Amino acid sequence: MSAQPNSVANPTTTGGSGATWQSAITEQVRHNNLLQISANLLQAQPEAQRPTILGSMFTYENEVFRTATSSQEYVALLNARVTFIAQKLQ
C-alpha cells in the first residue's frame, strides 16, 4: 500500500538559500499527494467512514509536514500511517 507522492522535493534544503524541502511543496500538491497515498485505503472502506478517515489523514499530514526533516521521512511517515489505519480497520 506504499505510495511515493509526486512533486516532493528530495533534499533537506533547496540550494544555498537555506530554504527547507517544505518550501518546494504547495498546499495543492500536499492535498493531491495525500489523496493519492490514501486512495486504496479509502476505496476499501464503507462510504460513511471515508470522511473521518480522510480527516484523520489530513490532520496527521499537517503534523508530519511540520516535523519531518526530509521528504523521505515525510513519505515514510505518511505511508506508515496509512498502513496503521488499514490494519485497525480490518
Side-chain angles (χ1 to χ4, degrees):
M1 192 170 298
S2 179
Q4 180 72 28
N6 55 20
S7 304
V8 175
N10 288 323
T12 301
T13 59
T14 55
S17 66
T20 65
W21 64 271
Q22 288 101 331
S23 64
I25 303 174
T26 66
E27 288 295 319
Q28 184 62 45
V29 168
R30 287 174 64 193
H31 178 84
N32 290 342
N33 287 340
L34 190 56
L35 289 177
Q36 178 186 347
I37 289 170
S38 60
N40 291 336
L41 173 65
L42 291 175
Q43 288 177 352
Q45 301 308 312
E47 193 164 335
Q49 291 181 349
R50 292 176 189 172
T52 302
I53 294 166
L54 194 57
S56 172
M57 291 296 296
F58 275 100
T59 299
Y60 185 75
E61 190 276 344
N62 283 327
E63 178 184 326
V64 169
F65 189 76
R66 284 191 313 269
T67 60
T69 59
S70 68
S71 62
Q72 292 86 359
E73 181 180 20
Y74 168 74
V75 170
L77 290 171
L78 288 179
N79 281 322
R81 182 63 170 189
V82 169
T83 301
F84 173 78
I85 289 174
Q87 289 171 346
K88 287 291 187 185
L89 294 172
Q90 289 180 353

